[in-house]
Amino acid sequence: MNPDKPLPEGLHPDTLAVRVGIDASPYGENSEALYLTSCFVQPDAATSARRFANEEDGYTYSRTSNPSVTAFERRLAALEGAEAAIGTASGMSAILLMGMGLLKAGDHVVCSRSVFGSTMKLFGSEFAKFGVETTFVSQTDVAEWRAALKPNTKLLFAETPTNPLTEVCDIAALAALAHDAGALLAVDNCFATPVLQKPLALGADVVIHSGTKFLDGQGRVMAGALCASQKLIDEVFAPLIRTTGQVLAPFNAWVVHKGLETLAVRVRAQSANALQIAQWLESHPAVDRVFYPGLPSHPQHALAMAQQGGVGGAVIAFSVKGASPEQQRARAFHVLDSARVCSLATNLGDVKTLICHPASTSHGRLTEAQRQAAGVVQGLIRLAVGLEHPADIQADLARGLDDCDNY
Ligand SMILES: *Cc1c(COP(=O)(O)O)cnc(C)c1O
């Protein structure tokens, strides 16, 4: 941004994604500078003292703040409609920061049991060690969330759509429930991104991002972020991360900051490809079920369309038919191994289509009974759709699906 020409008010999200950041340096670069520095030279001792005492803005040390990180934080906050954001080293470190900032021993959390696996472990095992109790409830049944509330409930945590089954929860309903109980609602917006869904506008108090996924969009760096009110950022999260140190590296911040410039076009194009592939999968004789919010067969299709601006997103799960779990697994492995375009990898949000088998990867540490309860059957395949031509991805899947009968 040009320091002499501040951006006008009322710009559209597509414009904000390209234009919001920090002022250009005196050299007037158009592509944002990368501030790869751990510390900042202070003009004089008195200024240094004021900056360290938080009495004056100004950079001192990159664990406290860094211009490349600030630029990313401002741009993401603008897209989420948040007053402020804070960059973190990864998505998990954003959730850790949130928990450390909002919870203490004796507090209670209600969390969907369909959230990301590491999130389940963080709440269920790690926070439990510090005396924070978590009740896991149905992703979709608001009555179960209500029944789980206790006088000491401080936080409701949701993710929508979820991994891998793309289950959708009602953000506005959960926000109302949280606020009636004197608690906050945090939403992991990794799958939908602010292009499709703005949880803060629906009543959530905190938004979590794994920047590793769609925000980067090309699978290059680990990154994360937390969006919230200016008050929560200034009084809780910024002082905390300065102590705990899970900060976003300037280089990664720069990559993700540039990634946000193309976020909307990527998410819309990848979602359009996903819808086409999901419709085709639903008609394939070797496929048992397709889980995709954009299909009328999805159990929360109407809610998803209302909450996500009519778009289903870029992640699909589908299961192959099979007489037994062993046969389903053999067929799923055959589909994965037959793919020559899709990458066999567990990330998502990449412009390259990624294919994986949740039961032996993200959900591999669960018992078979836990997997069944979670709906992660042996025949389930997750497809994170990229920017390739959808016909090429269909042909790549057909390579394995068309001769599943032989496995
Ligand atoms: C990947 C992911 C995370 C964790 O993010 P990392 O950047 O890998 O730490 C959290 N939530 C969801 C929904 C994710 O997909």
Side-chain angles (χ1 to χ4, degrees):
M1 298 197 298
N2 180 339
D4 301 325
K5 295 181 189 172
L7 288 175
E9 293 290 311
L11 296 174
H12 296 82
D14 289 351
T15 309
L16 299 175
V18 177
R19 292 290 171 180
V20 173
I22 56 168
D23 289 342
S25 80
Y27 301 114
E29 66 279 354
N30 186 47
S31 173
E32 292 80 350
L34 166 55
Y35 290 92
L36 209 53
T37 179
S38 47
C39 65
F40 299 83
V41 179
Q42 303 301 302
D44 54 72
T47 307
S48 170
R50 284 194 302 276
R51 288 177 178 175
F52 271 87
N54 266 340
E55 292 162 8
E56 179 182 308
D57 285 341
Y59 293 98
T60 55
Y61 187 61
S62 287
R63 174 154 44 73
T64 305
S65 55
N66 172 285
S68 293
V69 179
T70 305
F72 161 66
E73 291 167 343
R74 287 189 183 159
R75 188 170 282 179
L76 181 66
L79 294 183
E80 282 289 358
E83 288 173 6
I86 193 154
T88 59
S90 65
M92 288 320 301
S93 60
I95 304 176
L96 176 64
L97 182 70
M98 181 201 63
M100 291 183 77
L102 299 181
L103 303 169
K104 62 180 187 326
D107 286 347
H108 176 248
V109 177
V110 184
C111 180
S112 161
R113 73 169 70 90
S114 306
V115 294
F116 188 66
S118 298
T119 308
M120 298 266 289
K121 272 194 82 69
L122 184 59
F123 281 108
S125 306
E126 304 303 333
F127 288 159
K129 288 198 293 204
F130 298 93
V132 173
E133 185 206 0
T134 300
T135 306
F136 293 98
V137 296
S138 151
Q139 167 80 359
T140 52
D141 184 358
V142 180
E144 252 192 62
W145 290 75
R146 185 178 297 112
L149 293 171
K150 298 183 182 191
N152 59 338
T153 303
K154 293 287 158 52
L155 178 73
L156 275 61
F157 188 92
E159 178 188 316
T160 181
T162 59
N163 177 45
L165 292 175
T166 71
E167 291 176 280
V168 175
C169 67
D170 187 336
I171 296 173
L174 294 182
L177 202 63
H179 299 155
D180 281 351
L184 300 181
L185 172 67
V187 175
D188 183 331
N189 203 24
C190 176
F191 270 48
T193 83
V195 177
L196 305 184
Q197 165 177 292
K198 293 193 174 68
L200 297 175
L202 296 169
D205 303 284
V206 176
V207 169
I208 295 290
H209 271 289
S210 166
T212 318
K213 314 295 170 55
F214 288 100
L215 306 191
D216 171 7
Q218 293 177 61
R220 298 165 294 195
V221 298
M222 301 295 299
L226 182 159
C227 304
S229 65
Q230 193 74 54
K231 187 174 158 63
L232 271 180
I233 297 283
D234 287 351
E235 294 177 10
V236 178
F237 299 117
L240 180 60
I241 200 169
R242 184 176 177 173
T243 304
T244 55
Q246 66 270 46
V247 291
L248 180 56
F251 179 77
N252 293 5
W254 183 85
V255 170
V256 182
H257 182 68
K258 299 303 281 179
L260 288 179
E261 294 178 354
T262 55
L263 179 69
V265 270
R266 284 187 283 106
V267 168
R268 287 184 201 125
Q270 289 174 233
S271 298
N273 289 354
L275 176 61
Q276 203 172 318
I277 294 165
Q279 287 166 337
W280 172 81
L281 280 169
E282 213 167 34
S283 69
H284 197 286
V287 172
D288 186 27
R289 274 193 71 179
V290 181
F291 303 84
Y292 181 67
L295 292 177
S297 60
H298 189 281
Q300 296 98 38
H301 174 65
L303 171 62
M305 292 300 95
Q307 195 163 266
Q308 299 173 203
V311 180
V315 179
I316 303 170
F318 65 98
S319 54
V320 291
K321 291 176 183 163
S324 63
E326 292 72 29
Q327 187 176 43
Q328 290 171 16
R329 183 181 172 103
R331 289 179 172 181
F333 277 26
H334 172 62
V335 173
L336 263 58
D337 290 338
S338 303
R340 280 149 50 189
V341 179
C342 300
S343 307
L344 182 50
T346 46
N347 194 17
L348 64 98
D350 198 305
V351 294
K352 293 184 168 74
T353 296
L354 310 180
I355 191 167
C356 70
H357 181 247
S360 62
T361 55
S362 57
H363 295 66
R365 283 181 288 176
L366 304 182
T367 64
E368 190 59 30
Q370 286 173 321
R371 270 194 293 272
Q372 291 287 342
V376 181
V377 297
Q378 289 294 340
L380 195 74
I381 293 170
R382 191 192 75 187
L383 197 69
V385 178
L387 281 182
E388 304 94 340
H389 196 288
D392 292 336
I393 299 303
Q394 286 172 24
D396 208 40
L397 297 171
R399 256 185 271 284
L401 285 172
D402 286 353
D403 71 342
C404 264
D405 286 353
N406 298 326
Y407 291 82

